[in-house]
Structures are given as C-alpha cells and as structure tokens.
C-alpha cells in the first residue's frame, strides 16, 4: 500500500473502502468540528440530548457505558502502577513485547513531534510498554507501563475503545469521556495473532493541535508490522524446534561464512558447548574445503569427509544445498550412525538371546555358560560346531547380552563371497578402485559393523589374501579400503564360526596360523544334536508348537513310539534338520497326533552310531519297538503296570512283546 492509499485508508477508519453513509464516523478534523464535539460533550454530561450527526455512534455508546459505570467526567485520578501484574503480563506476552519495542521506537521517531507517546496494551488495557521521552511521558501519565487504560478505568480513550471494538479507532480531543484528557487525541489499532485473535493494541497519543487524521494509518501499518514480526518469530521458533528434532546436524551458513543457525546435533558433532551463531564457520571447521562450498554453492549429498576441529577430527557424511542469497545449508550425518542404519536395512540385526536357546543337556549348558562369559568382554570369539548346530544363534545371543547390543550386528558368510569381491565386500573401496565400482565408493562390512559386532560365518572358507587384511584389522583396529591409502579406525567385536577343522586347514596351507591364534581367544564348542541327550524332545515340541500355531492347527501330541524314534535318530543336519522335519509334520499330518507312521522314512529307518563300528546298521521297526520298551522299563524301574500305561498298550500286548524280544522285566528291578 502506497502513502496515498494508506492515508485514504486511515481517513476511512482503516477498514478499506467504506460505504458513503459510514464516512460520517470519521469526519474531517477542524477547530469547528472539535468545538461542536465539545458542545455535545457538555450536553451529554448535563443530561440533554446529543446530536448523533456530530457524535459518532461508537463514541456515544462508550460515553453511555462510562455513565452507567459511574466514572467521573471532570477529574481523573491515576491508578497505581501494578508491578506484579506487569511482570506477569510481560512474561505471558514476551513475544509481543519484544516484537513491538523496536517498531514503536521507530514510529515515535517518524512523527518528529514532541508530546507524543506510543503505548502497547494487552487485552485488559494494561500498558506493557511505552516509547517516548521522559518529558513526553509526563504529558501522558496514564501511558506509563503498569497502569491500566481500559474504558472502565479512565473512560473513553483510544486503547480501551480499540480493545472493545476490535478494530482501528481514533478518539479526538473532547471525544474522551473525561475532560482531563481533552488536550489529547489518540489513534489505536488492534494486534492479532496467527489465529486472528486480538492479543493487544497499539496506541499513539499526541496533543490535539499536532494530530493528523492520517496518523491512524501509521498506527495501523505499525500494528500490521508487529503481527508480521510475531508470525516470523513463530516460524523461526518452529524451525528451531524442527531442526533440534532432526537426527542430523544442520548448519545454515551465509555467503560470508557466518553461521546463521546451528542445531544441537551439529554442535555436539563439532564439540561445541556454547551458541556460535554469528561466528565464522572456519573458526570451528579448520578445513580449506569449506570455502569452495560457499563460493561454488553446488549441491551434493552424503559425501564422506573428515574435518579438523578445534579438538580432534570429525568423520561424517556431508550434504550441501544452496540457500537464500549466497548461503548454504550443510547437513552432517555421523558415519557410524549411517552405517548402523545401512546394516539394519540390509537385515543385519540380532534378534535372538540366550533365552531362545532350548535344551537342558550338560553339553549345551556348558556351551551357554562359556557364551555368557564371552558376552561380558570384547574378546574375539571362535564358535566351533557342525552345520546346523546354531552357531549364528549363539553369536546373536552373545551380541545381545553384551554392551554392544545397541550397535549393528553384521553377518558375513565367508564361503558365499565371490573370491574376486571378498576384499571390497569386507573392507570397502574408494571411488574408481576398479571397473564397475560406485563413483562415490562404498564402505565394507567392517565399517558397517563399527560400534557393534561382525559375525564371520564359515571363516575357514575365507581366501588367504583376505585373511592378511583381517589379521591387520585385528591387530591395529584399522581398515583400509580397496584402492585407498588412508586407514580408518573402527571399533568392531569379531565373532567367527566354522564347521571345518582349522588346524587341518593350517597344515594344508589353506588357513593362516597367525590368524588362527588371533581368532582362538575364546573358543566355544557347540555340541551336535546327537550329543545332547534329551534335548531332541524339547526342541521338537518347541518347533512343532511354533509351526502349528502359525498354521492355526490344533495341538499335535507325539506318541511315545515316535518320540523314541526321534531321540534315537542321529540327526546329521542337527537342529536345522530337526526344525525342517517338524515343519513338514505340522503341514502334512492330518490326524490328531504324530505317530511312527507320520515320521520321515529316513528318521524311522535311520541309524545310531555304535562305538567300535565303522559302519551303521539300518534300524528296523521291530528294533525301534524293542528299544522303546527297554527305555520305558529302565525309566519305570521294571514297574510292569506303569510301563504298559506309558507305552499305551495293554499288559497282554506288553507280555507278548517281552516274550518276542526276549526281555526280562526282573533285570530292571532293583534288588
């Protein structure tokens, strides 16, 4: 809005283009006009009728409210300054006061007239702030902060009327209800928040001879400026809240290198304790690469960089984006946290704990005891066991019980890595390291596991050239990317596993002896299932319940014949084979129980190794039955009645079986 339009708007009450009949509310000022208003003021206070063509309806309504309230018309006693209320209000309206102060001072200076006071009031009429010289404030004593200027306290006035009408108003000379204020004229405009609610009013009081009707336009413009400043303050505050909620460090830097904004995450990454807004960024990032970012203003994302700080160095992934007129926004991401997320996305997460390891056998309990010991240190751990015994389950349990449980858990199957890619997969590579490499390079598994645990499964299958790099990493805790020269320090706990005989591999020159001794710090032998007496039944029941529940089937009890067959079978595939067997049974069994007939043929006819026998003899169904009867009699101490009940057969049938297999019950009874 230009000055002419502002003046016209002010002359029309600041409400835009008004209808002709409303123009009388804001008559042109003149001595004759003021004389006529004063005359009507006298008639009103003498109880006579008032010319409503001369007195605006808004003013007349205010006079009538003041009369009903019993306010004096000739003298005005100043109310005391309410300091407690002032402090409370300033605290409540701190944004309003801070936004208004500077604009109020500028408004006073722009008028260039003495005896003028600009006041800010809240919705109760309490003066929050005043801009004026001390002499001018003496001229308008009711404008002192802490006093009240509402209509009920001092009668008709600009501030009080503005709060009631919730629109821009001016009160000229004798339009004031109390004659002690007739020497003043006031212009006031409401101040609204972003929701459109009135939160205060801005008022300019000046001697009537210096008053100009366009003054209302100036006050309105100042009020709108305050509203805009409040909006910007809120946006800035919201921006700061958002920045502080980000996991990434964010720094807004001007073209001159001055820090315009920095969130707490960035300050922590740079090791800063105090607010450094307004200072140059090169004071805290002592790197020549910062200046080109400010001059080139090129956009890039997640470029791995290392900065020299006042104390130490910072390795991070840096992103840069142009901002404003010559500035840039720098986003810093901690490399370790990014690698942790990358490992999580790749599915590298430990979910199992020691509570998930099922079994009560002595051999298994000993393995768990050693694994718990291993979890309380960062010592390199070597897990030995046949395929399917649960080496990764143990590795995850160790990780989740350690102080690294919140870090990444990265799995590498050394036997599945292509020989020509082992180095790059494990140790990463720099840009241009080889044909087909990503242009920005890539971290290896060791870097992804930084701060956590790296599980090297089938370590015996690792190529010799990769073993050399692994040995260096274990010795120095540093990793050098393929094609790179700079070593990076990492903090990784190594758990290795194998089902091969590493000592034999050393003799065959397939595994480095020095690496073996580095890995063989804490060695845990995980027993095969055939050496875990009694655990087969526990595992089978657990697996069967899991798959039955997922298929929403009724419980499937295992008969004693089937249970004994499961216990006798030697399970060359160990726990993995047993789990697959139970999953098959849960899917294919249609009856209400699992008997011998439902078991896979290899389980029923399988063999159990005997000491001193080089080969294994097939087990017939009769042999299974005989073994089952022998085990039951042994458990019951030769109690014939209990044995027949457990086997779920009649005593007549049991006698027949004993005779058939040549079994004597007395052999199991204690003397």
């Amino acid at each position: 809005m230009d000055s002419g339009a502002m003046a016209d708007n002010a002359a029309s009450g600041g409400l835009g283009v008004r209808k002709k009949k409303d123009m009388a509310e804001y008559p042109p000022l003149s001595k004759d006009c003021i004389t006529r208003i004063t005359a009507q003021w006298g008639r009103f206070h003498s109880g006579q009728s008032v010319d409503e063509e001369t007195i605006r309806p808004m003013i007349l309504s205010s006079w009538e409210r003041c009369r009903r309230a019993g306010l004096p018309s000739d003298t005005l006693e100043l109310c005391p300054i309410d300091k407690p209320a002032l402090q409370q209000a300033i605290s409540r309206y701190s944004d309003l006061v801070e936004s208004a102060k500077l604009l109020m001072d500028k408004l006073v200076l722009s008028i260039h007239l003495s005896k003028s006071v600009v006041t800010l009031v809240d919705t109760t009429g309490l003066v929050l702030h005043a801009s004026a010289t001390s002499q001018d404030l003496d001229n308008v004593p009711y404008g002192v902060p802490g006093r009240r200027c509402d209509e009920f306290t001092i009668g008709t006035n600009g501030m009080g009327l503005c709060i009631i009408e919730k629109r821009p108003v001016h009160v000229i000379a004798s339009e004031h209800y109390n004659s002690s204020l007739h020497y003043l004229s006031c212009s006031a405009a409401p101040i609204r928040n972003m929701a459109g609610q009135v939160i205060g009013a801005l008022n300019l009081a000046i001697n009537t001879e210096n008053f100009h009707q366009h003054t209302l336009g100036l006050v309105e413009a100042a009020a709108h400026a305050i509203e805009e400043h409040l909006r910007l303050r809120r946006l800035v505050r919201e921006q700061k809240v958002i920045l502080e909620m980000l996991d990434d460090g964010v720094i807004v830097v001007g073209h001159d290198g001055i820090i315009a904004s920095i969130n707490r995450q960035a300050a922590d990454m740079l090791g800063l304790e105090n607010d450094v807004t307004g200072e140059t960024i090169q004071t805290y990032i002592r790197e020549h690469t910062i200046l080109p970012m400010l001059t080139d203003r090129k956009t890039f994302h997640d470029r791995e960089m290392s900065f020299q700080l006042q104390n130490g160095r910072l390795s991070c992934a840096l992103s840069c984006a142009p901002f404003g007129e010559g500035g840039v926004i720098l986003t810093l991401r901690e490399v370790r946290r990014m690698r942790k997320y990358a490992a999580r996305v790749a599915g590298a997460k430990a979910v199992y704990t020691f509570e998930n390891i099922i079994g009560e056998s002595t051999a298994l309990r000993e393995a768990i005891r050693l694994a718990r010991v291993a979890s309380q240190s960062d010592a390199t751990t070597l897990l030995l066991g046949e395929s399917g015994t649960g080496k990764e389950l143990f590795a995850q349990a160790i990780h989740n019980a350690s102080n690294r449980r919140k870090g990444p858990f990265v799995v590498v199957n050394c036997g599945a890595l292509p020989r020509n890619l082992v180095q790059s997969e494990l140790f990463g590579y720099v840009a241009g390291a080889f044909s087909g490499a990503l242009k920005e390079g890539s971290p290896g598994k060791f870097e992804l596991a930084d701060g956590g645990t790296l599980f090297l499964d089938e370590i015996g299958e690792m190529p010799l050239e990769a073993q050399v790099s692994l040995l260096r990493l274990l010795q120095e805790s540093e990793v050098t990317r393929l094609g790179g020269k700079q070593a990076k320090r990492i903090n990784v706990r190594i758990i290795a596993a194998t089902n091969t005989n590493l000592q034999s591999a050393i003799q065959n020159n397939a595994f480095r002896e020095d690496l073996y001794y580095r890995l063989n710090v804490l060695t845990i032998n995980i027993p095969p299932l055939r050496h875990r007496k009694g655990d087969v039944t526990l595992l089978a029941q657990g697996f069967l319940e899991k798959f039955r529940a997922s298929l929403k089937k009724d419980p499937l009890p295992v008969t004693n014949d089937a249970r004994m067959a499961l216990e006798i079978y030697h399970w060359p595939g160990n726990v993995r084979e047993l789990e697959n067997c139970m999953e098959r049974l849960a899917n294919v069994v249609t009856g209400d129980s699992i008997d011998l007939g439902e078991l896979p043929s290899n389980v029923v006819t399988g063999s159990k190794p005997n000491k001193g026998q080089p080969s294994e003899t097939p087990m017939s169904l009769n042999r299974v039955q005989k073994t089952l009867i022998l085990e039951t009699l042994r458990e019951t101490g030769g109690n014939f009645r209990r044995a027949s009940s457990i086997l779920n057969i009649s005593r007549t049938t049991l006698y027949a079986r004993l005779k058939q297999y040549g079994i004597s019950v007395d052999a199991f009874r204690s003397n």
Side-chain angles (χ1 to χ4, degrees):
M1 184 182 295
D2 58 29
S3 58
M6 183 180 289
D8 292 340
N9 191 38
S12 63
L15 300 177
V17 178
R18 301 177 63 83
K19 295 181 180 180
K20 187 174 181 180
K21 65 178 182 179
D22 294 332
M23 293 298 291
E25 288 193 18
Y26 299 92
L29 287 178
S30 65
K31 289 183 179 181
D32 180 62
C33 176
I34 293 175
T35 300
R36 286 188 285 110
I37 293 173
T38 303
Q40 295 303 314
W41 179 87
R43 290 180 62 83
F44 179 83
H45 286 289
S46 64
Q48 301 178 54
S49 62
V50 175
D51 180 9
E52 296 186 7
E53 293 294 326
T54 302
I55 302 300
R56 290 179 287 160
M58 177 177 61
I59 298 296
L60 183 57
S61 296
S62 177
W63 287 357
E64 290 172 346
R65 288 194 297 270
C66 293
R67 174 189 284 172
R68 289 195 296 270
L71 297 180
S73 61
D74 51 354
T75 58
L76 181 63
E77 292 185 6
L78 291 174
C79 64
I81 296 175
D82 192 345
K83 289 185 178 180
L86 176 62
Q87 293 301 319
Q88 186 177 4
I90 288 177
S91 176
R92 179 182 179 186
Y93 295 103
S94 58
D95 277 355
L96 173 61
V97 175
E98 291 300 319
S99 298
K101 281 181 178 180
L102 184 60
L103 289 168
M104 291 169 66
D105 292 340
K106 288 183 177 180
L107 180 59
V108 169
L109 291 174
S110 68
I111 297 174
H112 297 298
L113 292 173
S114 61
K115 298 182 179 178
S116 61
V117 177
V118 179
T119 51
L120 175 71
V121 298
D122 65 9
T123 52
T124 68
L126 182 69
V127 179
L128 302 177
H129 183 70
S131 291
T133 64
S134 58
Q135 295 86 350
D136 292 341
L137 203 54
D138 290 338
N139 185 52
V140 189
Y142 66 85
V144 174
R147 289 205 168 106
R148 297 192 178 275
C149 297
D150 58 288
E151 187 180 85
F152 181 78
T153 302
I154 64 173
T156 305
N157 71 92
M159 290 173 280
L161 197 56
C162 178
I163 292 169
I164 292 173
E165 295 290 333
K166 294 182 174 55
R167 57 172 173 154
V169 301
H170 56 217
V171 177
I172 304 165
S174 49
E175 286 186 331
H176 287 89
Y177 184 78
N178 194 286
S179 61
S180 63
L181 300 178
H182 285 185
Y183 69 100
L184 293 173
S185 290
C186 303
S187 293
I191 300 172
R192 302 177 186 273
N193 59 18
M194 292 181 69
Q197 300 168 327
V198 175
I199 57 175
L202 188 68
N203 181 76
L204 171 61
I206 195 169
N207 280 13
T208 299
E209 61 268 20
N210 295 327
F211 183 80
H212 193 281
Q213 207 159 8
H214 292 171
T215 304
L216 182 59
L218 295 175
V219 175
E220 279 191 85
H224 289 316
I226 293 171
E227 290 174 349
E228 184 65 14
H229 200 274
L230 282 171
R231 187 181 71 85
L232 291 175
R233 285 177 68 95
R234 178 172 175 177
L235 290 176
V236 169
R237 185 181 294 111
E238 290 175 350
Q239 178 197 54
K240 288 182 178 179
V241 171
I242 293 172
L243 288 178
E244 293 302 329
M245 291 178 65
L246 294 176
D247 289 334
D248 300 328
V250 179
I251 309 174
V252 181
V253 186
H255 68 281
D256 51 2
I258 300 298
I259 299 174
S261 180
I262 179 171
N263 68 350
R264 173 44 51 190
Q265 181 69 17
D268 290 342
M269 293 173 70
L270 298 179
L272 306 176
E273 295 182 358
N274 302 319
D275 184 13
V276 295
T277 302
E279 300 184 39
T280 177
I281 191 171
Q282 287 181 290
T283 304
Y284 303 100
I285 300 181
R286 300 173 179 178
E287 207 74 31
H288 66 280
T289 52
I290 286 294
L291 279 178
M293 295 179 195
L294 301 178
T295 55
D296 297 344
R297 304 185 73 234
K298 292 182 179 179
T299 300
F300 59 82
H301 299 284
D302 293 333
R303 181 181 296 174
E304 287 196 36
M305 304 192 74
S306 180
F307 294 127
Q308 181 64 47
L309 307 178
Q310 289 181 329
N311 297 304
R313 294 191 67 85
L314 168 68
S315 294
C316 67
L318 182 70
S319 299
C320 179
F323 175 76
E325 298 181 359
V328 295
I329 298 178
L330 302 178
T331 304
L332 294 77
R333 295 184 174 92
E334 288 184 305
V335 172
R336 178 179 294 182
R337 186 161 50 84
M338 288 185 66
R339 290 169 185 160
K340 178 180 177 181
Y341 292 155
R344 184 180 301 171
V345 171
K349 184 179 180 181
V351 295
Y352 295 111
T353 66
F354 286 114
E355 285 67 33
N356 297 117
I357 302 177
I358 301 173
E360 297 296 335
S361 64
T362 303
L364 182 68
R365 291 293 98 190
E366 176 62 14
I368 293 176
R369 184 189 70 79
L370 291 174
R372 289 187 182 275
V373 171
S375 69
Q376 301 307 304
S377 73
D378 282 342
T380 302
T381 301
L382 182 61
L383 304 177
L384 303 177
E386 297 178 6
S387 178
T389 52
K391 294 185 290 295
E392 184 173 346
L393 174 62
F394 268 79
Q396 291 191 24
I398 292 171
H399 171 81
N400 281 329
S402 72
N403 57 7
R404 294 174 177 265
R405 66 181 68 89
K406 294 183 179 179
F409 178 84
V410 179
V411 180
V412 177
N413 189 327
C414 301
L417 291 175
R419 296 187 69 85
N420 60 332
L421 295 178
V422 170
Q423 292 276 69
S424 60
E425 284 289 323
L426 292 179
F427 307 105
Y429 57 85
V430 298
F434 54 87
S435 178
L438 297 175
K439 63 180 181 179
E440 64 271 18
S442 176
K445 300 295 186 181
F446 286 97
E447 289 185 61
L448 291 176
D450 192 15
T453 302
L454 182 67
F455 176 52
L456 297 174
D457 199 9
E458 305 301 339
I459 187 69
E461 304 297 325
M462 178 177 283
L464 284 172
E465 57 271 22
Q467 292 180 29
V468 176
S469 299
L470 175 58
L471 180 62
R472 174 177 172 78
L473 184 145
L474 292 173
Q475 291 173 337
E476 307 295 338
S477 295
E478 292 181 344
V479 61
T480 302
R481 291 189 182 184
L482 187 66
K485 297 180 180 179
Q486 184 179 3
K488 296 182 179 180
R489 293 199 65 82
I490 59 171
N491 179 15
V492 176
R493 194 266 177 87
I494 301 293
I495 299 178
T498 184
N499 61 359
T500 61
N501 189 323
L502 292 182
Q503 292 181 335
S504 297
I506 293 171
Q507 294 175 358
N508 296 328
N509 295 320
F511 201 83
R512 292 181 62 94
E513 186 175 13
D514 49 3
L515 176 59
Y516 171 74
Y517 290 123
R518 278 285 178 182
L519 294 173
N520 192 25
V521 178
L522 286 175
T523 302
I524 301 173
N525 287 286
I526 302 176
L529 193 54
R530 62 181 175 274
H531 293 164
R532 295 168 53 180
K533 183 174 178 58
D535 286 352
V536 172
T537 300
L538 289 175
L539 287 166
Q541 290 173 344
F543 291 142
L544 196 60
E545 177 60 25
K546 179 180 72 172
F547 296 124
R548 178 204 65 78
S550 66
L551 295 171
K552 298 181 180 180
K553 285 188 173 183
D554 293 331
L556 285 171
V558 180
T559 65
N560 287 327
D561 287 355
R563 178 181 61 80
M564 185 57 65
L566 293 173
E567 286 283 356
I568 293 174
Y569 182 60
H570 67 285
W571 299 105
N574 292 293
V575 179
R576 186 183 295 121
E577 183 185 3
L578 177 60
E579 183 176 12
N580 293 340
C581 177
M582 292 302 104
E583 184 175 8
R584 174 186 178 276
L585 292 173
N587 279 275
V588 303
V589 170
T590 57
D592 55 3
S593 65
I594 296 175
D595 203 352
L596 274 176
E598 280 78 26
L599 296 182
S601 58
N602 65 309
V603 174
V604 176
T605 62
S607 60
K608 184 175 181 180
N610 296 317
K611 292 182 180 180
Q613 292 185 354
S615 60
E616 296 177 344
T617 305
M619 179 178 285
S620 65
L621 181 58
N622 287 342
R623 191 173 169 196
V624 170
Q625 290 179 344
K626 180 180 179 180
T627 303
L628 182 61
I629 292 172
L630 289 171
E631 290 288 342
T632 306
L633 290 173
R634 189 177 295 111
E635 289 178 7
T636 61
N639 187 313
F640 194 80
R641 183 185 298 275
R642 283 183 59 202
S644 63
S645 176
I646 292 173
L647 293 170
N648 197 23
I649 57 177
S650 66
R651 281 178 286 177
T652 302
T653 302
L654 180 57
Y655 274 123
R657 293 287 183 270
L658 293 177
K659 184 177 181 181
Q660 177 183 350
Y661 299 132
I663 300 173
S664 172
V665 177
D666 295 336
F668 298 95
R669 293 172 179 168
S670 58
N671 297 327

